[in-house]
Amino acid sequence: MAEAAATVKSIFLYPIKSCRGISVSEAPVSSTGFIWDRQWVVVNSKGRACTQRVDPKLCLVEVELPEGAVSVGWIPNKTSYLVIRAPGMDDLKVPLCRPPQSQTCDGVSVWEWSGSGLDEGDEASKWFTNYLGKPSRLVRFNQELETRVVDPDYAPGFRVMFSDGYPYLVVSQGSLDSLNDVLKEPVPINRFRPNILVDGCEPFSEDFWKEIKIKYLTFHGVKLCSRCKIPTINQENGVVGGEPTESLVKFRSGKVLCPDRKGQGKVYFGQNMVCANVHEEGNEKIIKVGDPVYIIKMLSSYDGTST
C-alpha cells in the first residue's frame, strides 16, 4: 500500500446532539457513526430537536461516559450512567441501561425525519427545562423500532441516529490552520464538531477524498459539509459572532468552489463520510489516535472527476 496521506490526530464523540463533545483515544465504528455518537437529543414541547442554532447555551453542557464505555464489547450495567453537567446545575445521571418500563416519546423530529424516541424521564426533562428555560425532554434514539436513512442521493443504504446528516465528519488540521491564518483571532477545532481530525496532509485535501482506508475500515467521502451557524458560536461561553463564517465566505463558499452547482451561498468545511465495510467479519472495527490514513481514490476537482 502507498505511503499514508495523514494520521488520525483526534477522535470526538457527541453523545447528546449539540452538546459538548468528548475527545477519546479510540472508538468502535458502527454503520451509524462512532459508538454513543448523537444517540440522544433534547427536544422542545413540539418534539423538535433543540440545537445550538437556537439554543447556543447547549454548547456549555458537558457529558461524561463511564470508564471503558468506548471499548469494544463493553456492556453497561445498572451502575453505568451518562453524567451531564452545566453551569449552575446539579449533575444529572442518566442510566445507560434502559429500565423495562421506559416510555416512548412520539413525534421526535430532526430535520425532515420524524419518529419515536425513548424518553429519559421526568428528572432529565426538568433538568433541561430549567437549563434552557423552556419545556424540554431528553430522548434516546429508538434503535429497535426506528431507522433514519441518510440522503439517498449521496449515500443510499446508510443511516444515522440524531446526526444532522451523515455518520462521520472528517476535517484536517491543515484546513483549520489555513483558516486560522486569515482570522484575526484563531478558532479551535470544536467550532466545527468533527468526528475525526487528521493531520499531516495539505489544507483542504480531505475535500477530494473519495475513498480512504483507516486500518481495515474503508470510508467513502459523500459530500462536502455545508456549515450552519454553529461555527460562529464560541464553544467556551456560548457567545455568537460573525467569524469564521465571514472569512470562509471569501474562499470556501459554493460560489468559489462549485460555481456551476447549487448551494453557491453556503460555506463548506470538512467532508461527510460513511464507513462502507463495517459489517465485514473478522476485522477490528475500531479507530485509534495515531492510525495512518491511506487514500484509495480521490477526486481531481470539485466537479466530481475521480483519479
Side-chain angles (χ1 to χ4, degrees), residues 239-271:
V239 174
V240 183
E243 293 287 14
T245 299
E246 290 176 357
S247 292
L248 284 171
V249 167
K250 300 174 184 177
F251 70 109
R252 296 292 300 173
S253 70
K255 183 177 182 180
V256 173
L257 300 180
C258 312
D260 297 327
R261 294 187 183 181
K262 295 180 180 180
Q264 293 191 19
K266 297 180 179 180
V267 296
Y268 298 90
F269 197 88
Q271 174 80 263

Side-chain angles (χ1 to χ4, degrees), residues 14 16-21 38 41-42 49-62 111 131-132 134 164 190-193 227-240:
Y14 307 88
I16 305 177
K17 183 180 181 66
S18 248
C19 294
R20 281 192 180 176
R38 275 89 169 194
V41 66
V42 182
C50 299
T51 75
Q52 290 185 34
R53 289 180 282 270
V54 177
D55 300 290
K57 65 189 300 185
L58 281 172
C59 74
L60 305 180
V61 177
E62 299 179 0
W111 294 108
Y131 181 68
L132 294 178
K134 62 182 181 182
D164 267 2
N190 63 11
R191 293 287 190 100
F192 298 99
R193 300 173 67 80
R227 310 310 309 216
C228 62
K229 174 183 177 181
I230 290 179
T232 67
I233 301 171
N234 186 321
Q235 297 294 296
E236 302 306 314
N237 56 25
V239 174
V240 183

Side-chain angles (χ1 to χ4, degrees), residues 70-244:
V70 293
S71 301
V72 173
W74 184 84
I75 299 175
N77 56 40
K78 293 181 179 180
T79 62
S80 303
Y81 295 94
L82 179 71
V83 182
I84 305 171
R85 302 182 175 94
M89 303 291 292
D90 293 333
D91 289 1
L92 172 66
K93 290 186 176 181
V94 175
L96 292 181
C97 283
R98 294 288 306 174
Q101 67 276 17
S102 296
Q103 295 185 345
T104 58
C105 182
D106 295 324
V108 174
S109 60
V110 177
W111 294 108
E112 75 293 339
W113 177 86
S114 181
S116 67
L118 300 172
D119 196 309
E120 294 293 5
D122 290 341
E123 182 181 359
S125 175
K126 183 178 179 181
W127 194 96
F128 277 101
T129 295
N130 289 340
Y131 181 68
L132 294 178
K134 62 182 181 182
S136 306
R137 301 201 73 84
L138 179 67
V139 298
R140 188 187 308 203
F141 192 82
N142 192 345
Q143 297 183 63
E144 293 184 0
L145 297 180
E146 299 291 352
T147 299
R148 182 168 172 246
V149 299
V150 304
D151 189 335
D153 290 339
Y154 293 97
F158 288 90
R159 56 195 178 89
V160 289
M161 286 192 270
F162 290 130
S163 298
D164 267 2
Y166 300 90
Y168 299 93
L169 174 62
V170 176
V171 174
S172 74
Q173 182 66 45
S175 299
L176 180 65
D177 293 343
S178 180
L179 170 61
N180 281 332
D181 284 343
V182 302
L183 296 178
K184 292 181 179 179
E185 296 184 10
V187 296
I189 193 61
N190 63 11
R191 293 287 190 100
F192 298 99
R193 300 173 67 80
N195 295 110
I196 303 173
L197 177 67
V198 300
D199 198 8
C201 57
E202 292 296 316
F204 307 108
S205 59
E206 67 270 26
D207 290 2
F208 303 101
W209 290 354
K210 185 64 176 176
E211 182 179 329
I212 63 172
K213 209 170 189 71
I214 304 176
K215 282 190 171 178
Y216 303 103
L217 297 163
T218 300
F219 291 83
H220 290 171
V222 295
K223 185 178 182 292
L224 292 183
C225 184
S226 59
R227 310 310 309 216
C228 62
K229 174 183 177 181
I230 290 179
T232 67
I233 301 171
N234 186 321
Q235 297 294 296
E236 302 306 314
N237 56 25
V239 174
V240 183
E243 293 287 14

